[in-house]
Amino acid sequence: MPGGRPRAFDADTALDRALEVFWRQGYEGTSLTDLTTAMGINKPSLYAAFGNKEELFGAVLARYLEGPGGYAAAALDAPTADEVVRLLIHGAIELTAGHGGSRGCLCVKSVHAGGPDSEPVRRNAVAVRKAGEAALRKRLEQADDLPPGYTAAELAALVHTISDGIAVQAAAGRTRTELSRVADTALRALLG
């Protein structure tokens, strides 16, 4: 018995296009029509390949973390706490205000999703943020070069707070140059 008609589109390309739409417009600001138009597919194909809008967003968020947001996981491999922190903060600038313009952070935007229909998406984004902070804390706990006066948990929370602030400022139109100056000031205060 045949397994159905083969897909007439590339799922990876469609997912990348959905990522761009969600990143630009946020979860609540993105309609199914926006998605199907950008992805070049119809609604039945979207549902068949990705599930509903919430499930599609989950796949997009995973792709975001592996792709554009992958700098964070890579930063954890740096040999010193100082380098980890610097790579994370400057990576946040590149992600949110770098080559693609001022877009902010998909995760940070999703944490602020407001309506009741968006609550599962918001919880997912919060969980992703918490997991990222926990991974940073764990990495910093292994470091023997933490700046004086900080625990690994405090430094991880502070780095995430600074990164989130960078994302919000980038979404508000701050330039890469402006954000770099702010980041350098924060790094001098944090790391000396």
Side-chain angles (χ1 to χ4, degrees), residues 96-97 102-105 109 165-175 178-179:
T96 62
S102 298
R103 298 191 283 187
C105 172
K109 285 180 180 180
I166 286 169
V168 170
Q169 291 297 315
R174 292 265 183 182
T175 67
E178 291 170 322
L179 292 171

Side-chain angles (χ1 to χ4, degrees), residues 153-192:
E154 291 166 341
L155 187 56
L158 190 52
V159 169
H160 266 254
T161 300
I162 292 167
S163 295
D164 287 354
I166 286 169
V168 170
Q169 291 297 315
R174 292 265 183 182
T175 67
R176 189 170 159 189
T177 302
E178 291 170 322
L179 292 171
S180 291
R181 282 191 212 117
V182 169
D184 291 342
T185 301
L187 287 167
R188 277 193 304 276
L190 278 175
L191 305 173

